[in-house]
Amino acid sequence: MAKRDYYETLGLAKGADAAAIKKAYRQKAKELHPDRNTDNPRAEEQFKEANEAYEVLKDADKKAAYDRYGHAAFEGGMGGGGGGPRGPQGQGDFASAFSDVFDDLFGDFMGGQRAGGGRTRAARGADLRFNLRVKLEDAYSGLQKTITVPTAVTCGNCHGTGADDGSEAVTCPTCSGMGKVRAQQGFFTVERTCPTCNGAGQTVKNPCHVCHGAGRVEKEKSLSVNIPAGVETGTRIRLAGEGEAGMRGGPAGDLYIFIEVEDHKIFERESTNLFCRVPVSIASAALGGEIEVPTIDGGRSRVKIPEGSQSGRQMRLRSKGMPALRGGATGDMFIELAVETPVNLTSRQKEILREFDTLSKDNNPQGSSFFKSVKGFWDSMKG
Ligand SMILES: [Zn+2]
Ligand SMILES: [Zn+2]
């Protein structure tokens, strides 16, 4: 079978320069790496070809000979004086031959795993999220709440060491504590997480029978949480160190409580202010008076209704709103009057209203500018 052209093997045009050759080879090496080609049986062979091509083309002398004579340059002493360029090395030596790009490739393949000196003893536990719904009244006053969180906690039997009573953690015999092993894969040397210790660098003679050596167990944890006054939907409360336990003595993660404040049946909240609609009788609205309104603190406030109040009139109760979470002034409560039309009238009540209506024709009591303008509009329509 005719040997493929070296440039073609690397996907290059004939006579490509050194930089292009190196780049093309790196690309090929990544594409054909055994880890990425477990289902491509040709990959190793293709890589050997690419490697052979690179061996020749990266060397200025060999490249010059190949450019001139092709594959014949390396077949039996045709290469000219001085011993001539030597052919590619045997495949067993390839790994050392491409060491200059190997480090580059390695960095890519191993991702971030090499950071930290190759040891992954301790690992921080995961952060946890807990959603907590609270009533508006509780958001007003703040509350102490006990919550139950499923989490991983330090194993009580081995106190996180992963070893059963008396059994000391020992340096992993497979990786000598490095957490990684080097293995020959084809002609590649690859670094892998140690299968014995899973990267920890340590093993135990007698793994803890409770946590099977992990050093932590799944458990429901009860926590008493202080929810401060003034929380809103979206407020996050961080409980440092209350997340999942770390692995092998690493620090625990944090627990984040996400607050959702439930809708209230009468109060609407806007930041620290509260709004509510208060029904008033037609008589109270017309004559003026006093009403009692509920407040978020569970109490009641008396509010004066001015004579002649229209539906929709707003009144402010200072500092009867919500507390501010991070200092600042307490909000206000706004009430909006909703004048009620009386229903289910007795005949006597109807009689009085009719009389009232007759009197109203002589003395128009609807004194608001709105009613005046509406009345004026209708009068003009009637022409
Ligand atoms: Zn190991
Ligand atoms: Zn244990």
Side-chain angles (χ1 to χ4, degrees), residues 155-160 162-163 208-217:
C155 173
N157 183 53
C158 64
H159 308 289
C208 170
H209 66 279
V210 176
C211 65
H212 308 290
R216 53 182 206 170
V217 288

Side-chain angles (χ1 to χ4, degrees), residues 246-257:
M247 293 284 274
R248 300 177 288 272
D254 298 333
L255 173 67
Y256 289 91
I257 296 176

Side-chain angles (χ1 to χ4, degrees), residues 133-151:
R133 277 169 72 92
V134 299
K135 289 184 163 47
L136 188 64
E137 286 87 345
D138 292 334
Y140 170 82
S141 57
L143 81 157
Q144 196 78 23
K145 176 106 182 159
T146 300
I147 60 171
T148 306
V149 196
T151 186

Side-chain angles (χ1 to χ4, degrees), residues 172 174-175 194 196-197:
C172 173
T174 307
C175 63
C194 172
T196 308
C197 64

Side-chain angles (χ1 to χ4, degrees), residues 272-328:
T272 55
N273 292 328
L274 292 175
F275 297 83
C276 72
R277 279 166 65 86
V278 178
V280 288
S281 71
I282 210 160
S284 296
L287 303 173
E290 230 178 26
I291 54 168
E292 250 191 6
V293 294
T295 49
I296 190 66
D297 57 10
R300 290 179 165 269
S301 271
R302 298 190 74 77
V303 181
K304 253 188 145 47
I305 307 290
E307 187 177 311
S309 289
Q310 300 295 342
S311 214
R313 180 173 193 147
Q314 270 203 354
M315 276 170 290
R316 182 207 297 247
L317 278 69
R318 290 200 181 274
S319 302
K320 287 290 184 184
M322 299 292 286
L325 183 59
R326 288 176 186 86

